[in-house]
Amino acid sequence: MIPSQVIEEIRHLLGAAHVLDSVALALKNPGVDPHNLAAGWLARPQNTQELQQLVRICAQHEIALVTQGGRTSLSQGATSTPGQLIVSMERFNRIRELNPLSRTAVIEAGVTLAQLDDALAEHQLSMGLDLGARDQATIGGLTATNAGGNEAFRHGCMRERVLGLEVVLANGECLSELHQVRKCNEGFAIERQFIGSEGCLGIITAVSVDLVSRPHYRATALVGIEGYHQAVQCITALRFKSALLAAEVLCEGQARYALERIDALPKTPPAGQVLLLIEFTGISDTEAQATLAATLERLFEDELILDAWLAKNAAERAAFWRVREDWAVDQRYPGGLWYDVSVPIEHIPTYLSQVTANLQQHDPSLQLFVVGHLADGNLHLTVNCDHDIHERYEEIAPLITHSLKSIGGSFSAEHGIGLEKKQTLQRESSAVKQAWMRQLKLFWDPKNLLNPHKVL
Ligand SMILES: Cc1cc2nc3c(=O)[nH]c(=O)nc-3n(C[C@H](O)[C@H](O)[C@H](O)COP(=O)(O)OP(=O)(O)OC[C@H]3O[C@@H](n4cnc5c(N)ncnc54)[C@H](O)[C@@H]3O)c2cc1C
């Protein structure tokens, strides 16, 4: 438990209204994981100086800190336990600078992706990164997990979007490297180690990012495809189109269950075992529609697609995205398992048939559902059964991950390691890498106070 005099010290620093106890936390949404708020104490510093002092107090009393942004982690990265203090970044909510000429912005860690996107819209700019949790996920969380999302095939993951960082270190010092230029070689780029470090090396307070032109006009289709072999051929053709904004894959089961929950669309998805959500941009809505329609026609002629729905307006476009992003399968099969892998695109058909065969052989009652960002080879595999199987993550993981290394893939694409993939990391990563990761942790956080027990 955190000693009461430490809580008093923190209350004195932040103001009592910004130190929440378990009673106040019971009224808060814990986010994706029910254990996120289990620590029972949450502090809300409002700026870097306050956070530095908070970290110093906690370092002195050896109180462990779990930093939280939007609590949308899908790898148990933001969970906490009694005796720890949650540091909520919700009051780091300012866009410090927005520079349309240099196409950069400096954003505080607690700003959500949707809030940033609203601010960028009036300048015809975009972050170049989008994902389903856009309304909750914060810039700090996105950076700390090196998030990917729908546009990574065009603009990269957060590591490629970030130009600089401001970070409060485990001893309370502040490392400020908020560059707003693309070329910057000022010795070792130590600040970049915090991208993807999942709150284990430091607390990110602000991030400077590279912005991209905002695609205004969009045309969207949901197409049905016979199988993954044809889906990969479609992607190969689509990647030659500069108009391509998104190419998201979903299996027929995901589409069917999602459509049951969407009134605006027919209940039966476009024909095919695999569906692709394809989005194009253009210089007008009409031009984007025409380019997309012509491309689909060509794909029909080449017998790569079987069926297609073309969104007629913005409402239908949003409904198509819901078919992709709806958590329909998880609602249908509570207690299922999520795996987040990257597969070089040419290997996807073989990889998926192998995984399906592995699962069938292991336990015929298991069902596989697939959604993902096909254009960059990131697949989210959910393994479900007619009862809760959440205790079986480790038992099933090797069936999903064992061949990935040999084909150049990854067992952890975009959600991070958190607690969920710790054992997979131990199994799949080299001893050399793990030893240097431990050295790095020791270097930045010698007392093991920052998000302890996560990742390593
Ligand atoms: C519906 C849905 C769709 C999603 N889609 C995608 C997707 O397409 N691509 C993708 O990559 N992810 C996706 N995610 C996962 C999630 O949104 C990302 O991992 C996101 O980056 C987490 O941001 P957050 O602010 O919610 O962080 P949190 O969940 O609060 O924290 C995540 C991790 O980051 C650390 N952290 C948070 N803020 C900071 C900070 N300021 N400094 C240091 N460490 C910090 C935490 O300690 C924790 O380890 C999705 C999640 C949901 C619920």
Side-chain angles (χ1 to χ4, degrees):
M1 290 302 125
I2 304 178
S4 53
Q5 85 273 11
V6 179
I7 293 292
E8 276 319 305
E9 220 178 317
I10 296 171
R11 281 199 177 114
H12 183 70
L13 172 69
L14 306 182
H18 299 297
V19 183
L20 307 191
D21 62 12
S22 55
V23 178
L25 290 182
L27 303 173
K28 257 188 173 299
N29 179 355
V32 167
D33 195 297
H35 300 107
N36 283 343
L37 300 178
W41 284 106
L42 178 148
R44 299 193 294 214
Q46 69 168 334
N47 56 42
T48 305
Q49 293 72 26
E50 258 189 23
L51 177 61
Q52 287 181 267
Q53 290 183 54
L54 175 68
V55 169
R56 284 194 180 109
I57 293 171
C58 292
Q60 191 190 345
H61 298 281
E62 308 216 338
I63 308 291
L65 300 172
V66 176
T67 309
Q68 292 183 354
R71 299 185 202 100
T72 65
S73 167
L74 294 177
S75 60
Q76 301 161 357
T79 58
S80 64
T81 52
Q84 300 182 324
L85 177 69
I86 299 164
V87 179
S88 166
M89 300 305 284
E90 64 196 83
R91 293 171 78 206
F92 283 75
N93 55 11
R94 287 182 316 129
I95 295 177
R96 288 190 195 163
E97 285 185 46
L98 205 174
N99 301 309
L101 276 186
S102 62
R103 293 182 157 224
T104 58
V106 181
I107 312 138
E108 290 188 345
V111 173
T112 67
L113 186 56
Q115 286 164 347
L116 174 63
D117 192 58
D118 282 349
L120 297 179
E122 64 179 283
H123 301 281
Q124 282 92 50
L125 292 170
S126 154
M127 174 73 192
L129 186 139
D130 187 33
L131 43 77
R134 56 188 76 79
D135 291 331
Q136 295 86 30
T138 61
I139 293 302
L142 294 162
T143 307
T145 56
N146 185 29
N150 314 332
E151 300 185 22
F153 77 97
R154 304 168 68 217
H155 304 300
C157 299
M158 273 310 272
R159 195 166 274 125
E160 285 76 41
R161 311 302 322 129
V162 169
L163 297 172
L165 292 162
E166 180 184 89
V167 185
V168 170
L169 306 176
N171 64 0
E173 283 176 339
C174 177
L175 177 71
S176 186
E177 297 287 322
L178 287 170
H179 306 285
Q180 294 189 63
V181 287
R182 282 143 198 100
K183 292 179 178 168
C184 174
N185 288 319
E186 299 181 351
F188 304 146
I190 52 172
E191 70 280 8
R192 299 198 73 79
Q193 292 182 359
F194 298 91
I195 306 172
S197 67
E198 301 189 45
C200 298
L201 302 184
I203 301 180
I204 299 163
T205 47
V207 181
S208 52
V209 293
D210 189 18
L211 303 171
V212 300
S213 300
R214 189 178 191 82
H216 273 293
Y217 304 102
R218 290 169 188 259
T220 309
L222 199 56
V223 308
I225 299 174
E226 192 180 331
Y228 288 99
H229 182 67
Q230 291 82 356
V232 164
Q233 285 181 284
C234 279
I235 287 292
T236 312
L238 290 168
R239 290 295 306 269
F240 282 104
K241 306 278 174 188
S242 58
L244 183 69
L245 286 184
E248 296 282 300
V249 71
L250 51 152
C251 64
E252 191 268 347
Q254 159 74 19
R256 198 159 21 87
Y257 291 140
L259 286 168
E260 280 175 10
R261 289 150 50 95
I262 302 173
D263 291 335
L265 296 175
K267 296 293 163 221
T268 312
Q273 284 310 301
V274 179
L275 283 90
L276 262 191
L277 185 152
I278 304 171
E279 196 154 87
F280 269 29
T281 187
I283 53 167
S284 66
D285 277 339
T286 324
E287 200 250 4
Q289 285 275 30
T291 318
L292 179 56
T295 305
L296 295 183
E297 236 173 78
R298 186 65 205 265
L299 294 175
F300 268 119
E301 279 164 21
D302 293 344
E303 298 181 356
L304 291 179
I305 64 177
L306 301 174
D307 198 359
W309 295 352
L310 211 56
K312 288 189 285 300
N313 48 43
E316 261 192 19
R317 196 161 61 236
F320 285 13
W321 271 100
R322 211 185 132 193
V323 179
R324 157 64 180 90
E325 291 180 342
D326 196 278
W327 286 43
V329 172
D330 303 79
Q331 297 287 326
R332 182 88 178 201
Y333 298 102
L337 304 167
W338 269 68
Y339 298 92
D340 165 38
V341 302
S342 272
V343 186
I345 290 174
E346 66 276 19
H347 290 288
I348 284 177
T350 322
Y351 167 76
L352 282 176
S353 20
Q354 195 181 41
V355 168
T356 309
N358 289 349
L359 291 171
Q360 274 304 301
Q361 206 176 358
H362 184 74
D363 177 350
S365 71
L366 299 175
Q367 290 190 60
L368 179 69
F369 291 84
V370 179
V371 296
H373 312 294
L374 192 63
D376 63 36
N378 176 193
L379 303 177
H380 302 306
L381 309 182
T382 61
V383 179
N384 298 285
C385 193
D386 56 12
H387 54 270
D388 188 324
I389 52 168
H390 80 271
E391 300 287 351
R392 297 177 65 187
Y393 186 92
E394 294 307 335
E395 170 204 324
I396 290 165
L399 306 175
I400 309 279
T401 60
H402 92 277
S403 66
L404 286 167
K405 201 170 188 172
S406 65
I407 55 174
S410 169
F411 63 86
S412 176
E414 61 173 10
H415 297 159
I417 303 295
L419 288 178
E420 185 187 72
K421 299 196 198 92
K422 270 173 72 169
Q423 288 192 38
T424 313
L425 179 100
Q426 280 165 23
R427 194 178 57 244
E428 301 282 347
S429 283
S430 72
V432 174
K433 176 170 177 179
Q434 289 182 57
W436 279 102
M437 282 176 69
R438 280 192 291 275
Q439 289 295 323
L440 205 59
K441 171 72 175 167
L442 203 61
F443 175 76
W444 287 115
D445 181 22
K447 292 183 176 175
N448 193 22
L449 294 179
L450 299 179
N451 215 3
H453 315 302
K454 305 284 170 51
V455 182
L456 287 166

